Amino acid sequence: MSGLGFLVGLGFGVLMAAARLTDPTVIRDMLLLREGDVFFLMGGAIAVASPILFFLCRSKFRSLSGQTIAPARTPIAAHHVWGGALFGLGWAVSAACPGPVLVMIGQGRVVPGLVIAAGIALGVYLRDRTTAA
């Protein structure tokens, strides 16, 4: 199964590179509401994923690890708002979409990719440290 996962990941990376999601200008223009392409891309992804997730939840489908697929439903809390704001700030400051960091590195933009990856890792670490209590 790891070979299939690699091929799917490789294909996804190629699509992200083709959509120019590693280009800081594209991300900056999206965040400044100058370009709608990335919003249409995200909307398309939601339109495809939503019915699939609905079907998987309704059918009690199990993941490869054997867990039933069911999204957690929790009320919005202050830490969600602060976390979203911090995430957005990092996205705006880096002018990089967090998803395709590995694609950036694969394209040869190693230093920015590693800096952004380090920022993501630090954010996850801090989140874990603050929510572990």
Side-chain angles (χ1 to χ4, degrees), residues 12-98:
F12 190 61
V14 168
L15 289 174
M16 282 195 275
R20 296 182 42 224
L21 292 179
T22 61
D23 184 348
T25 304
V26 170
I27 301 303
R28 190 172 293 114
D29 286 347
M30 182 264 309
L31 291 172
L32 293 172
L33 304 176
R34 292 181 188 156
E35 290 288 336
D37 297 357
V38 180
F39 291 114
F40 288 123
L41 183 71
M42 288 189 280
I46 291 168
V48 169
S50 294
I52 293 171
L53 182 60
F54 178 80
F55 168 76
L56 292 175
C57 290
R58 285 280 194 201
S59 67
K60 306 289 188 209
F61 189 83
R62 295 191 176 276
S63 68
L64 294 176
S65 66
Q67 296 176 340
T68 302
I69 296 175
R73 296 176 188 231
T74 58
I76 296 174
H79 68 271
H80 296 126
V81 176
W82 286 110
L86 186 59
F87 176 84
L89 180 65
W91 198 1
V93 168
S94 67
C97 184

